[in-house]
Amino acid sequence: MNVDLALEQLLDARTAEVYTKEELHKKLQRSAETGIPLRVKLGVDPTAPDIHLGHTVVLRKMRAFQDLGHTGVLIIGDYTALVGDPTGRSKTRPQLSYEEIEHNAATYREQVFKILDPERTEIVHNGDWFKKLSFGEVLRLTSRFTVARLLERDDFANRFSKNLPISLHEVMYPIMQAYDSVMVRADVELGATEQTFNILMGRQLQENMGQERQIGLLAPILTGTCGSVRMSKSIGNYIGIAESPSEIFGKTMSIPDNLIGEYLRLASEFEADEVERFERSLSDGSANPRDVKFQLARHLVSLYHGDDAADKAGSEFEQIFSKRDLPDEMPVLELKRDELEEGRIWIVKLLKLANAASSNSNAIGLVQQGAVQLDGARVDADAPDVKIESGMTLKVGKRRFFRIELSN
RNA sequence: GGGGAGAUACCCAAGCGGUCAAAGGGGGCAGGCUGUAAACCUGUUGGCGUAGCCUUCGGAGGUUCGAACCCUCCUCUCCCCA
C-alpha cells in the first residue's frame, strides 16, 4: 500500500486534528517497510455501555487502520471508569461499582464488532496493570506530572476559575490514560477532540519513559439528535447502534435539518463524493431535507441491522407519520377481563398498565391534551371510563401504539 | 486553624414568615401546523379517581397559629486569611 495514499485515507472528514502528520507518515512508512503493524489504541470507558453514533466516528477510524493492516488495541477502562473521565464535565462523575463496570464492558465488547475487525483487534483491561501498582509506584508515576500542567486542561481550568470542585482522583484520569499508552506501547491513539489533552499527555509520558511518542489522531465530536450538544447517552440525545431499527430510523428522522450534513460526513458509510452530492442538493434546494434524511435513516439502519430491516423501518415510518396509519406490528397489551367493570376501564389505569404514563397525573394530563386515542377516536377527558373490546388499538401520542387483547 | 458565602423540583436559577407545589430559562412530554419524531406556535411538567388533601426546597432538631424563608447542630461545596 502506498503510504501517501494511506495517509490521505486516514485523514478524511473523520479526522479533525493530527499530532503530527509528519510523525504519522514516518510511522506508516516504517510499518510498510518492516511489515510490523502499528498499534492503534482506543480507550473506552465502560460507563454507559451502549455504543452510539458518536462512538462510531472514532471506531470507524480504527477500522480504517485495521483495513490497512494495523492492529487495533481496545482498552476497556475498567480502572479509569472507577474515576470517570472529567472531560467536558462541570461536575464530578459518580463512581461506578466494579460489578456495573464489568457488565458494561461485556455489553461493549458485544457491540464493538459491528464495526471493528475481530481478527485485528486486541482487547485489554487497564485494571490488568493498574491493580498491580503499589502506592510507591503511583507516586513515582505522578511525580512526572505537574499541577500547573494538569490545570491547563479546559475543563479543569474552567472549573477552577468558577470555584467549582475538582476532586483529586479526577486529576488522575489523564495520568492513567497516558500510562495506558505506555503499557500497550501505542503508536497511535484515537479519540474525539475533547481527548486532546489526555492524548498529548500520553505522548509526553511515553517520551519521558523512553518510548517513541504516539500519534494523536482526533475525530470530530458528533452533535446529538437535539442539535445543540454532543451526542451522549447520559443526556439522552443519542442513537445507539444496538437500538431497534424503528428507533434508529425515527431518531434519525428527528434530527434537525441542519445536522444532516454532519451525520452524512461522520456517521455514515457513504463515499465522500456521495456525501458531497447530498450536501449540494440540500444547499441549492433541489432536494427536500426530509428525503435526504430518509435515505440517511435507511442507510444507518442497514449498517447495523441489514437492508431488510432498513426497508421495513422505512415503510413503517411512512405508514405511521406520512399516512398516519397504524403500524403493522404493535406491542400487545394484555388485559384481564376482571380488570374491567361492565366492559369499561378507567383510561388512566389503562395507560398505566400499558406503561404509557408514569403516574396518574401524567396519564390525566395526556388525556386532557388529547393525546390518547382508542380505535382512532380521541378519549374525552370528561368520559374517562372507556369501553374496551378485544383487538382495539390504543394510541398514545404520535408514536406509541398498543393492541389490546382481553384474556381471562 | 480563623473569617465569610452557599446547598431550591430532571438541569440552571428566582424566592428570604403566610397569597409557594414554589417565578423564569433549558430539557422532557403533548397539541397544532408541516416535509419528518425538522423548524415554528401553544399547552403541560411532585403524588393521589381528578376534589381537596398529602409529601417536597442538603440532613436533624427548635421558634411560631403558620417556615423553602428565622434559630441551633450536622453534612457537603466555594472564597479570603494563615
Side-chain angles (χ1 to χ4, degrees):
Chain A
M1 176 97 194
N2 178 301
V3 172
D4 292 312
L5 190 59
L7 192 64
E8 195 182 316
Q9 274 181 23
L10 291 170
L11 302 183
D12 62 1
R14 276 196 269 266
T15 300
E17 283 181 84
V18 205
Y19 300 94
T20 63
K21 190 173 172 181
E22 293 67 38
E23 289 175 52
L24 178 58
H25 187 274
K26 207 155 73 187
K27 288 216 187 214
L28 287 168
Q29 183 78 51
R30 191 178 58 213
S31 168
E33 284 163 11
T34 61
I36 300 171
L38 297 180
R39 296 175 62 72
V40 182
K41 170 199 172 195
L42 174 64
V44 299
D45 218 356
T47 41
D50 290 318
I51 294 180
H52 59 59
L53 255 33
H55 300 120
T56 68
V57 181
V58 86
L59 285 170
R60 285 189 192 289
K61 181 57 65 188
M62 180 177 268
R63 177 66 197 231
F65 273 99
Q66 292 180 323
D67 289 344
L68 292 167
H70 302 293
T71 304
V73 182
L74 200 64
I75 299 184
I76 305 282
D78 55 348
Y79 256 55
T80 27
L82 291 170
V83 175
D85 186 2
T87 294
R89 299 194 170 244
S90 53
K91 267 187 194 167
T92 306
R93 270 196 189 191
Q95 292 184 307
L96 295 179
S97 75
Y98 202 79
E99 290 69 37
E100 288 173 291
I101 289 168
E102 250 327 293
H103 172 258
N104 291 350
T107 312
Y108 216 100
R109 281 192 293 268
E110 268 168 41
Q111 296 181 7
V112 85
F113 290 116
K114 287 199 177 199
I115 294 168
L116 296 183
D117 176 356
E119 301 295 309
R120 299 187 201 276
T121 305
E122 279 177 28
I123 296 187
V124 290
H125 290 62
N126 63 9
D128 291 351
W129 44 88
F130 281 124
K131 71 178 156 214
K132 291 192 204 128
L133 283 188
S134 70
F135 195 66
E137 288 167 316
V138 173
L139 286 178
R140 263 197 298 285
L141 176 60
T142 53
S143 72
R144 297 171 189 272
F145 299 85
T146 67
V147 171
R149 178 82 176 102
L150 289 165
L151 281 177
E152 283 175 30
R153 251 180 80 132
D154 282 1
D155 45 282
F156 288 153
N158 281 340
R159 275 199 267 168
F160 194 68
S161 69
K162 285 182 189 156
N163 298 329
L164 293 167
I166 300 170
S167 293
L168 202 51
H169 75 282
E170 294 179 82
V171 176
M172 290 301 291
Y173 194 94
I175 297 176
M176 292 169 82
Q177 186 168 336
Y179 191 66
D180 285 344
S181 291
V182 172
M183 292 314 282
V184 302
R185 305 193 75 91
D187 288 301
V188 178
E189 176 162 2
L190 304 178
T193 49
E194 47 164 46
Q195 290 292 316
T196 308
F197 182 87
N198 294 350
I199 290 175
L200 293 179
M201 290 298 266
R203 274 163 75 80
Q204 187 185 312
L205 185 64
Q206 282 175 312
E207 258 193 321
N208 200 297
M209 295 182 72
Q211 290 186 12
E212 186 178 288
R213 62 190 188 185
Q214 65 185 8
I215 312 302
L217 208 134
L218 307 171
I221 293 171
L222 188 73
T223 308
T225 52
C226 63
S228 51
V229 295
R230 54 173 311 195
M231 184 172 285
S232 140
K233 177 143 192 220
S234 53
I235 296 172
N237 60 353
Y238 72 103
I239 300 176
I241 67 171
E243 288 193 275
S244 72
S246 58
E247 281 295 311
I248 293 178
F249 200 97
K251 285 184 177 186
T252 305
M253 290 304 284
S254 83
I255 65 172
D257 290 354
N258 59 23
L259 222 55
I260 301 173
E262 183 179 328
Y263 277 48
L264 285 168
R265 264 176 278 122
L266 301 182
S268 87
E269 282 278 89
F270 287 124
E271 298 292 331
D273 56 333
E274 273 179 287
V275 171
E276 209 178 302
R277 212 166 39 242
F278 277 127
E279 293 208 83
R280 214 179 315 117
S281 70
L282 282 172
S283 59
D284 68 18
S286 64
N288 183 331
R290 195 210 83 109
D291 297 331
V292 178
K293 237 194 272 189
F294 202 91
Q295 291 192 59
L296 173 65
R298 279 187 48 118
H299 173 81
L300 291 176
V301 175
S302 78
L303 234 36
Y304 302 109
H305 293 284
D307 289 339
D308 291 347
D311 286 341
K312 215 172 131 194
S315 52
E316 186 184 281
F317 187 88
E318 296 218 294
Q319 203 171 114
I320 297 171
F321 296 105
S322 302
K323 299 184 195 148
R324 309 253 163 160
D325 264 348
L326 299 174
D328 292 332
E329 291 164 32
M330 45 188 131
V332 171
L333 175 60
E334 255 191 62
L335 205 55
K336 293 226 181 348
R337 280 186 199 280
D338 51 323
E339 305 263 24
L340 303 179
E341 275 177 49
E342 297 171 22
R344 293 178 175 273
I345 187 170
W346 188 33
I347 185 65
V348 169
K349 193 173 172 190
L350 186 67
L351 290 172
K352 283 182 77 177
L353 286 170
N355 236 334
S358 54
S359 66
N360 286 13
S361 316
N362 179 223
I364 291 168
L366 287 169
V367 175
Q368 283 173 345
Q369 289 176 113
V372 183
Q373 294 183 12
L374 268 175
D375 269 358
R378 217 163 247 187
V379 174
D380 185 350
D382 296 326
D385 292 304
V386 293
K387 190 156 197 161
I388 297 296
E389 279 158 32
S390 212
M392 277 184 135
T393 307
L394 172 69
K395 182 180 178 193
V396 185
K398 285 189 177 110
R399 44 188 284 248
R400 279 180 296 176
F401 300 89
F402 304 88
R403 188 182 304 289
I404 298 172
E405 271 175 27
L406 291 177
S407 65
N408 288 308

